[in-house]
Amino acid sequence: DVQLQASGGGLVRPGQSLRLSCKTSGFTFDDYTVAWFRQAPGKFREGISAISANDGSTQYRDSVKGRFTISTDNAENTAYLLMNNLKPEDTANYYCAASRESLRTAYFFPGLYDYWGQGTLVTVSS
């Protein structure tokens, strides 16, 4: 039974940080690409960061480059998203997802992700 459990969201002020976690089970984590997507109210879901659990290569959407860092702990089958210098426009539900495809192929295409976790809400407000 595949599970992806996202956690770590919350309410923070602009400029503060949060670390999201995505604990997974039921598939061979090392063989997958893991990504974080987000969806703000009234907007499409967008991929913001992805990582190859196999070789650690990463991708970031321009809007989060330099502020967000994606990582994995393969021993714990868990992916993380460290979000620094948060801005109000980062407010969204954040989802983790896993794809059997390579990072280059899966990239930020939601249709290529096989498994999804539930969202964790991040609210950035003063």
Side-chain angles (χ1 to χ4, degrees):
D1 188 26
V2 172
Q3 291 190 352
L4 287 80
Q5 186 169 5
S7 62
L11 171 62
V12 296
R13 297 187 186 280
Q16 292 187 326
S17 300
L18 279 175
R19 189 179 79 156
L20 306 183
S21 299
C22 176
K23 185 159 182 62
T24 75
S25 61
F27 61 96
T28 306
F29 185 82
D30 292 15
D31 292 343
Y32 278 67
T33 294
V34 180
W36 288 94
F37 290 77
R38 68 185 180 188
Q39 188 166 17
K43 294 190 176 181
F44 291 107
R45 187 172 297 192
E46 64 175 5
I48 55 170
S49 187
I51 185 168
S52 166
N54 180 258
D55 64 16
S57 54
T58 58
Q59 287 282 357
Y60 294 93
R61 181 170 292 274
D62 285 348
S63 59
V64 306
K65 276 181 184 176
R67 299 190 297 124
F68 290 11
T69 304
I70 191 170
S71 62
T72 63
D73 180 340
N74 287 26
E76 296 293 329
N77 296 331
T78 300
Y80 300 98
L81 185 69
L82 175 62
M83 306 185 294
N84 293 324
N85 189 22
L86 281 160
K87 303 177 181 181
E89 53 263 42
D90 295 317
T91 294
N93 266 305
Y94 284 70
Y95 301 86
C96 58
S99 172
R100 294 185 191 90
E101 302 290 346
S102 68
L103 174 61
R104 172 185 264 187
T105 299
Y107 193 56
F108 296 143
F109 301 120
L112 293 183
Y113 283 80
D114 303 286
Y115 308 123
W116 291 82
Q118 87 293 354
T120 185
L121 180 61
V122 173
T123 304
V124 185
S125 175
S126 55

